[in-house]
Amino acid sequence: MAVEHNKNSERPVAEKGEHIIARHLIDDDAIKEEKNLVIDGVDVSGRWNTFIETRVDSEFDRSFFDEIQKTVVGSRINRCWQCGMCTASCTVTPLYRRFNPRAFIYMMQLGNLKLLKKYTDVAWRCVGCYKCSQRCPKQVNPAEMMEALALLIKKYFPEEIKSNHQLTIDEEVKKIYEGMILGHGRLDLANLHTSAMRKMGKTTELMSDKDERGAIFKMMKDGRALSVLRLGKPHKWHKSKDAIDNYLRHTGTLEQEK
Amino acid sequence: MGNLKENQAAYYPGCALLTIDRAYNNSSKLVSKKMGIELVDIPDYNCCGIGEMKSKGAVSLYLPLRNMVIAKSEFGSKDLVMACSVCYHEFTRSIERAKEDKKLLDEVNSILKEADEEEYVPEGGARHILEFLYNEKGPDEAKKNTVKPLKGLKVAPYYGCLYSRPSMYTFTDKKQGMDNSERPHFMHEFLESIGAEVVQYGNEVQCCGGRNVVQDEETSFALCSQTLSKAKKAGADVLAVICPKCAGALDVNQPKIIEKFGKDSELPVVYLTQLMALAFGFSEKEAQFSDMISNPLEVLKEKGRFI
Ligand code: SF4
Ligand code: SF4
């Protein structure tokens, strides 16, 4: 869904039906409806026999829950009592109604991968504002649960990441950050910005001063864009880098890297 | 290096402040010095992780904590002052997580050991420059140093997210002397103490797009246009920020936001410390207003007295 604004109101306007909180219950594939059904001679075709599919989970797998709980970001998943305060506080939900931290945590608690998969396209949109964590009555730290969710998506749905343009970009930008922060110990912001723009295919914007309105040009001119050359690397950072790599290769958790 | 003197404090500059956001770095130092505290950079710092390394387990704690170790071993300081709200978040988060989770602390220390660094002992804390100046010196001290009150300048204070949230890390509302988490007011008080007029506009603690400023411009632009236009509508001449990431979203990206949402979103953005420096008698050049993309110089000149 695109971000929409009503000129007369300060809040973005929801589309019809968007205020339903447990949306996944009425998704098409969660609804059971017989086209032609006659019971005791009475025709109950179509709307008359609409039911929500059974939600009994016969494949509940506890190991999934443990997998999340073992991560630093997901360690408090057991505490959530589904009050919905996080979603009510969320910065992103009014812009993208399908982004629902409470529901994501529910799906993670149940290990319902089938359901989670349907939300991979919005799940990455958390802006990390921590309103949810501030207001959560159980100190679940939902903001960081969204990081745990990202780890799950990376492990279980790599093909979704590949096929969704925005997810791919999010991944690519994260890799640029990672290369700089872990590789060099310091962040070259000007370089990060231009590399990310290139990844996003915004090369023309980089060139024209209309879109960037000279911000980059200005920083080149006054020397800020190049000041990273003076920044350098921390002393003996290679030792930190080796130790970090070593840790990440052996965590034995979702955080582990191949 | 030896221990710090009494009027000195260990300072973590961070990557943004040493490069693109030098105006915030320099004005923070000028203002602190004028108020009686010299901020001294810790040597050999490394990046805090800027919120992008959280899914990397103990590594997300290692990055900030290696700097805490340096502050302790090089300066004998348990505390570390910083001006970037994202750094502040990463530091407070790591310190609290390390305090509550012994296993995690051990993991961090084993990485430190392997990297040939000293051990981290959870003590002391990270301090945001706003909270630090407020508690160590306070608005009265700022008032005493004000030689050019910013009379008639209407300022919309913008706190953003991570300075006051979440209180499980920042201890807002929880510890004596800390700001309020939902309605912070330290910046209000400083602005009033230097003679500016504080504008209330309703988006003081909203988000600028935060973690996704780079990769999700659409969301960031929508959020920022709300903040900028609300502040403008409330009569603000400038929006004051305390975080380089907020500045990136609201200032550097402002031309693109205006392009999309119109002139309602056109509002000069400055750092709180730049305004304080100006009030303390430093020149417009020393406060480096010309570094800002949203051109605050014009309105500061227009208002006559300031520059
Ligand atoms: S606010 Fe906390 S307890 Fe309530 S649903 Fe969200 S994470 Fe769960
Ligand atoms: S941190 Fe993420 S999930 Fe939590 S309120 Fe902010 S945008 Fe929503």
Side-chain angles (χ1 to χ4, degrees), chain B residues 235-248:
Chain B
D237 296 318
V238 294
L239 186 89
V241 297
I242 50 167
C243 169
K245 190 133 199 182
C246 299

PDB file of all heavy atoms in Angstrom, chain B residues 235-248:
ATOM      1  N   GLY B 235       4.308  28.335  13.940  1.00  0.00           N
ATOM      2  CA  GLY B 235       4.994  29.620  13.945  1.00  0.00           C
ATOM      3  C   GLY B 235       6.495  29.566  14.162  1.00  0.00           C
ATOM      4  O   GLY B 235       7.131  30.597  14.358  1.00  0.00           O
ATOM      5  N   ALA B 236       7.078  28.367  14.127  1.00  0.00           N
ATOM      6  CA  ALA B 236       8.514  28.251  14.386  1.00  0.00           C
ATOM      7  C   ALA B 236       9.348  28.897  13.282  1.00  0.00           C
ATOM      8  O   ALA B 236       8.996  28.816  12.110  1.00  0.00           O
ATOM      9  CB  ALA B 236       8.897  26.785  14.521  1.00  0.00           C
ATOM     10  N   ASP B 237      10.435  29.559  13.691  1.00  0.00           N
ATOM     11  CA  ASP B 237      11.410  30.072  12.729  1.00  0.00           C
ATOM     12  C   ASP B 237      12.430  28.998  12.381  1.00  0.00           C
ATOM     13  O   ASP B 237      12.903  28.920  11.255  1.00  0.00           O
ATOM     14  CB  ASP B 237      12.167  31.269  13.323  1.00  0.00           C
ATOM     15  CG  ASP B 237      11.263  32.448  13.611  1.00  0.00           C
ATOM     16  OD1 ASP B 237      10.393  32.742  12.757  1.00  0.00           O
ATOM     17  OD2 ASP B 237      11.400  33.052  14.687  1.00  0.00           O
ATOM     18  N   VAL B 238      12.778  28.197  13.385  1.00  0.00           N
ATOM     19  CA  VAL B 238      13.724  27.094  13.161  1.00  0.00           C
ATOM     20  C   VAL B 238      13.302  25.888  13.994  1.00  0.00           C
ATOM     21  O   VAL B 238      12.569  26.016  14.980  1.00  0.00           O
ATOM     22  CB  VAL B 238      15.184  27.459  13.569  1.00  0.00           C
ATOM     23  CG1 VAL B 238      15.744  28.538  12.681  1.00  0.00           C
ATOM     24  CG2 VAL B 238      15.260  27.854  15.039  1.00  0.00           C
ATOM     25  N   LEU B 239      13.783  24.725  13.568  1.00  0.00           N
ATOM     26  CA  LEU B 239      13.579  23.491  14.325  1.00  0.00           C
ATOM     27  C   LEU B 239      14.931  23.131  14.933  1.00  0.00           C
ATOM     28  O   LEU B 239      15.939  23.081  14.226  1.00  0.00           O
ATOM     29  CB  LEU B 239      13.101  22.377  13.389  1.00  0.00           C
ATOM     30  CG  LEU B 239      12.692  21.057  14.030  1.00  0.00           C
ATOM     31  CD1 LEU B 239      11.204  21.113  14.397  1.00  0.00           C
ATOM     32  CD2 LEU B 239      12.919  19.885  13.073  1.00  0.00           C
ATOM     33  N   ALA B 240      14.971  22.895  16.261  1.00  0.00           N
ATOM     34  CA  ALA B 240      16.243  22.562  16.898  1.00  0.00           C
ATOM     35  C   ALA B 240      16.329  21.061  17.152  1.00  0.00           C
ATOM     36  O   ALA B 240      15.412  20.463  17.718  1.00  0.00           O
ATOM     37  CB  ALA B 240      16.387  23.315  18.217  1.00  0.00           C
ATOM     38  N   VAL B 241      17.456  20.452  16.718  1.00  0.00           N
ATOM     39  CA  VAL B 241      17.627  19.006  16.882  1.00  0.00           C
ATOM     40  C   VAL B 241      18.841  18.688  17.760  1.00  0.00           C
ATOM     41  O   VAL B 241      19.697  19.543  18.000  1.00  0.00           O
ATOM     42  CB  VAL B 241      17.778  18.298  15.512  1.00  0.00           C
ATOM     43  CG1 VAL B 241      16.515  18.473  14.675  1.00  0.00           C
ATOM     44  CG2 VAL B 241      18.997  18.809  14.753  1.00  0.00           C
ATOM     45  N   ILE B 242      18.889  17.436  18.227  1.00  0.00           N
ATOM     46  CA  ILE B 242      20.005  17.010  19.075  1.00  0.00           C
ATOM     47  C   ILE B 242      20.570  15.681  18.602  1.00  0.00           C
ATOM     48  O   ILE B 242      21.130  14.916  19.379  1.00  0.00           O
ATOM     49  CB  ILE B 242      19.565  16.880  20.557  1.00  0.00           C
ATOM     50  CG1 ILE B 242      18.291  16.034  20.666  1.00  0.00           C
ATOM     51  CG2 ILE B 242      19.374  18.243  21.192  1.00  0.00           C
ATOM     52  CD1 ILE B 242      17.952  15.593  22.073  1.00  0.00           C
ATOM     53  N   CYS B 243      20.432  15.390  17.316  1.00  0.00           N
ATOM     54  CA  CYS B 243      20.903  14.113  16.791  1.00  0.00           C
ATOM     55  C   CYS B 243      21.249  14.256  15.316  1.00  0.00           C
ATOM     56  O   CYS B 243      20.467  14.818  14.554  1.00  0.00           O
ATOM     57  CB  CYS B 243      19.808  13.060  16.966  1.00  0.00           C
ATOM     58  SG  CYS B 243      20.119  11.519  16.091  1.00  0.00           S
ATOM     59  N   PRO B 244      22.434  13.757  14.904  1.00  0.00           N
ATOM     60  CA  PRO B 244      22.823  13.894  13.495  1.00  0.00           C
ATOM     61  C   PRO B 244      21.950  13.077  12.543  1.00  0.00           C
ATOM     62  O   PRO B 244      21.816  13.427  11.378  1.00  0.00           O
ATOM     63  CB  PRO B 244      24.270  13.406  13.476  1.00  0.00           C
ATOM     64  CG  PRO B 244      24.416  12.566  14.695  1.00  0.00           C
ATOM     65  CD  PRO B 244      23.478  13.147  15.713  1.00  0.00           C
ATOM     66  N   LYS B 245      21.361  11.997  13.061  1.00  0.00           N
ATOM     67  CA  LYS B 245      20.493  11.214  12.178  1.00  0.00           C
ATOM     68  C   LYS B 245      19.203  11.983  11.902  1.00  0.00           C
ATOM     69  O   LYS B 245      18.733  12.026  10.775  1.00  0.00           O
ATOM     70  CB  LYS B 245      20.177   9.851  12.804  1.00  0.00           C
ATOM     71  CG  LYS B 245      19.488   8.921  11.835  1.00  0.00           C
ATOM     72  CD  LYS B 245      20.116   7.550  11.841  1.00  0.00           C
ATOM     73  CE  LYS B 245      19.753   6.781  10.600  1.00  0.00           C
ATOM     74  NZ  LYS B 245      20.305   5.432  10.602  1.00  0.00           N
ATOM     75  N   CYS B 246      18.657  12.598  12.936  1.00  0.00           N
ATOM     76  CA  CYS B 246      17.484  13.451  12.747  1.00  0.00           C
ATOM     77  C   CYS B 246      17.828  14.562  11.761  1.00  0.00           C
ATOM     78  O   CYS B 246      17.029  14.910  10.891  1.00  0.00           O
ATOM     79  CB  CYS B 246      17.042  14.085  14.062  1.00  0.00           C
ATOM     80  SG  CYS B 246      16.553  12.928  15.344  1.00  0.00           S
ATOM     81  N   ALA B 247      19.024  15.141  11.899  1.00  0.00           N
ATOM     82  CA  ALA B 247      19.432  16.219  11.003  1.00  0.00           C
ATOM     83  C   ALA B 247      19.531  15.703   9.571  1.00  0.00           C
ATOM     84  O   ALA B 247      19.130  16.384   8.626  1.00  0.00           O
ATOM     85  CB  ALA B 247      20.770  16.811  11.452  1.00  0.00           C
ATOM     86  N   GLY B 248      20.037  14.488   9.419  1.00  0.00           N
ATOM     87  CA  GLY B 248      20.119  13.900   8.078  1.00  0.00           C
ATOM     88  C   GLY B 248      18.742  13.810   7.438  1.00  0.00           C
ATOM     89  O   GLY B 248      18.555  14.145   6.269  1.00  0.00           O
TER      90      GLY B 248
END
